[in-house]
Amino acid sequence: MTEAEDRKPQSDEARSVYDPEITSEFAIPQGLAVPRGGGVEPEATSEFAVPDGLEVPQAPAAESEGSAFSTPRTYSSKHAPPAFTPATGIPVVSLTKDVPWQDRMRTMLRMPVAERPAPEAPAKAEEEGPAVPRVLDLTLRIGELLLAGGEGAEDVEAAMFAVCRSYGLDRCEPNVTFTLLSISYQPSLVDDPVTASRTVRRRGTDYTRLAAVFQLVDDLSDPETAISLEEAYRRLAEIRRNRHPYPTWVLTSASGLLAGAASVLVGGDALVFVAAALGAMLGDRLAWLCAGRGLPEFYQFTVAAMPPAAIGVALTVAHVDVKASAVITGGLFALLPGRALVAGVQDGLTGFYITASARLLEVMYFFVGIVTGVLLVLYLGVQVGAELNPEVAVVIPERPLWQIAASMMLSLTFAVLLQQERSTVLAVTLNGGVAWSVYGAMHYVGGISPVASTAVAAGLVGLFGQMLSRYRFASALPYTTAAIGPLLPGSSTYFGLLAIAQNDVDKGLVSLATAASLAMAIAIGVNLGSEISRLFLRVPGAASAAGRRAAKRTRGF
């Protein structure tokens, strides 16, 4: 059959198909080839049909129809993408009970949320689950007490995370700044997060209350202890209502003894001891009077700094053979904000820069208040003819036994002013004596600069304080803050202010810069000593979270 004959029947067929009497507007135009459907009727297809030329992968006959939750067919366990969990799994973090809860919670906080091991169902939770708003409220109240007591931001976050985790809220993120606490909890990826916050409006120094809060957090984080929300609230209310361990007259006497001991450290005798003690006690009472009237702390520090300076100037004007500089220096020791300084530098070194900036700004305001009060008195003293000689700064007699005893008394009275527990007073007293012994051996005997000697002594204070706190499962602040009292730069501060009052601004600024260097050496040394202890003491999760332990401590890029 020829090619023309072969096409003729097709033309007849096409002519019959495209007859206008049997077709409609949906008929295929003439000249357009009709694709062969292979026996498949056009009614069986739709816009979801697979286009021609696209190969459809055939699933194995034994495989059932998949769903949105089935493993993709392109997945290979041997060539898994890095986003999936490795075949060996995520290393388990050991959260044993034989280490303080601070270390356990720091390990958890420095891990990404998706890699934190989920807590076991707590026995103290009700059958329907914990009451999330009440747990968050309890967490914020505990964090408020810790932050108001001077605790570092990192330990406050660790405590808040420990409380939430003890009640089964593992997907939570605490956030701590100087005056604001917030926490966010997200039940799952598809549920709305629950966020709560609390403002810290009042601060107070009571390390006995701080130790009680630490004990409460330790009990809550213990998996073997079942403490209900009601019981936790009851214990927290008892902590807030707890009276200070020392009455007011003991605190006033302690401030006087602290100033007297500090005056002995810088070369004072018995008369200087008594004069410095009287000036400090009078300044303490005036500060309490201002506080009762609602004056800000700036003015309280200004008023408290005036009586010791006034007594020193008065002794000089009366031509009493006494070392007036030791009287004024002793009074300054009781006012220098060493606790806030250490906490501020610690927050900065651990990555909480906003909180650190606020704390250091607070320290600066307190220091300016002290400077204002002392400068006013010194300026008046210079005007009335008081012969205050700044050259006596270099004439500090070396009396090792007396100075060690004075440093221990200074630490003891500082601990009383911080409202510490009586069980911790002896340890911090010995720690202060060790600190001054190291400083004296390096500076007076070894001839090393005072800044380096202060840094080493403060580092030992931080190391011993951290070890004692781990032994007692408590905060390190009660064991370190009072022990750094003998190292505070009281004499450098006084002689800098005296030089400024005598119009020798250059020398005064140099002396104040030395005081600032000593203060920074104390704060950095205390923090470095605490961090060194982590190199020798076992930290949970050190093997599994080696790449994430310092997640908050970046290298600047």
Side-chain angles (χ1 to χ4, degrees), residues 88 325 366 380 404 475 493 498:
T88 57
S325 61
F366 290 164
L380 292 177
I404 292 176
S475 172
T493 303
L498 178 59

Side-chain angles (χ1 to χ4, degrees), residues 109-358:
L109 280 175
R110 294 172 185 174
M111 296 178 64
V113 178
E115 298 182 10
R116 295 175 186 168
E120 298 179 0
K124 50 182 164 291
E126 293 81 2
E127 295 182 358
E128 63 273 9
V132 174
R134 295 196 66 197
V135 172
L136 297 184
D137 178 71
L138 175 67
T139 302
L140 291 173
R141 291 178 182 273
I142 290 177
E144 178 189 11
L145 286 180
L146 292 176
L147 188 62
E151 191 59 68
E154 186 178 30
D155 286 335
V156 176
E157 279 196 0
M160 295 172 65
F161 184 77
V163 175
C164 286
R165 187 176 174 82
S166 65
Y167 289 101
L169 307 184
D170 58 320
R171 300 180 63 90
C172 63
E173 287 293 338
N175 187 22
V176 175
T177 58
F178 185 59
T179 57
L180 181 64
L181 299 169
S182 63
I183 188 166
S184 178
Y185 169 68
Q186 189 171 14
S188 66
L189 294 177
V190 297
D191 292 329
D192 295 332
V194 181
T195 303
S197 62
R198 191 174 183 87
T199 302
V200 180
R201 302 188 181 278
R202 186 177 181 181
R203 301 177 183 273
T205 303
D206 190 343
Y207 281 0
T208 300
R209 178 180 297 174
L210 186 69
V213 177
F214 262 73
Q215 184 62 47
L216 174 60
V217 176
D218 185 53
D219 293 341
L220 288 174
S221 59
D222 187 359
E224 300 177 358
T225 305
I227 300 180
S228 62
L229 279 173
E230 288 72 17
E231 176 66 17
Y233 267 108
R234 185 189 64 80
R235 290 181 56 178
L236 186 62
E238 291 179 354
I239 293 173
R240 296 182 68 93
R241 290 195 302 264
N242 184 31
R243 296 179 61 86
H244 297 311
Y246 306 104
T248 304
W249 67 270
V250 173
L251 298 179
T252 303
S253 302
S255 64
L257 292 176
L258 188 153
S263 66
V264 174
L265 281 179
V266 294
D269 53 12
L271 181 59
V272 171
F273 181 94
V274 174
L278 290 177
M281 288 189 290
L282 180 59
D284 180 77
R285 287 293 87 198
L286 290 177
W288 276 100
L289 180 62
C290 294
R293 297 294 181 179
L295 290 178
E297 286 185 297
F298 175 87
Y299 300 105
Q300 297 177 27
F301 275 83
T302 301
V303 172
M306 288 182 175
I311 291 179
V313 171
L315 292 175
T316 302
V317 173
H319 301 288
V320 179
D321 188 11
V322 69
K323 196 173 184 179
S325 61
V327 176
I328 302 176
T329 300
L332 291 179
F333 265 85
L335 299 176
L336 294 177
R339 173 184 60 86
L341 175 66
V342 172
V345 175
Q346 178 183 358
D347 288 341
L349 294 176
T350 51
F352 295 84
Y353 301 114
I354 296 178
T355 307
S357 301

Side-chain angles (χ1 to χ4, degrees), residues 88-102:
T88 57
I90 298 176
V92 178
V93 178
S94 176
L95 300 176
T96 56
K97 184 62 178 67
D98 56 347
V99 294
W101 61 264
Q102 301 99 300

